């Protein structure tokens, strides 16, 4: 989308939104974004590191999405 996943009117506002998990997925700015791609992006931006996919999982999911296959 060309914009950061968290925006605010000050650094403290951005930090607060980030800590509260108020991250905007691509679909919020680009309504035509497929739900699967939005979910993939939001998973990669998860606040808890354990909730994020590994690089290999992310690549596998992205390839599956591009091929039109089911995501895990």
């Amino acid at each position: 989308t060309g914009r950061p996943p968290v925006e605010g009117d000050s650094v403290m506002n951005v930090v607060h939104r980030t800590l509260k998990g108020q991250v905007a997925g691509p679909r919020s700015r680009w309504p035509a974004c497929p739900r699967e791609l939005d979910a993939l992006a939001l998973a990669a931006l998860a606040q808890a590191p354990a909730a994020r996919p590994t690089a290999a999982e992310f690549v596998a999911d992205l390839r599956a999405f591009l091929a039109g296959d089911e995501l895990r």
Side-chain angles (χ1 to χ4, degrees):
T1 64
R3 293 171 51 193
V6 180
E7 293 182 302
D9 54 2
S10 70
V11 172
M12 288 305 297
N13 188 262
V14 171
V15 169
H16 176 74
R17 287 180 177 195
T18 301
L19 292 175
K20 297 214 37 126
Q22 297 174 341
V23 178
R27 195 169 173 82
S28 69
R29 295 187 176 114
W30 178 43
C33 177
R35 291 185 190 281
E36 297 86 357
L37 186 58
D38 189 63
L40 184 60
L42 287 172
L45 293 169
Q47 186 176 9
R52 295 181 211 137
T54 65
E57 291 168 336
F58 184 81
V59 168
D61 284 344
L62 187 56
R63 285 184 176 149
F65 168 77
L66 292 172
D69 297 336
E70 195 75 23
L71 300 183
R72 61 176 178 88

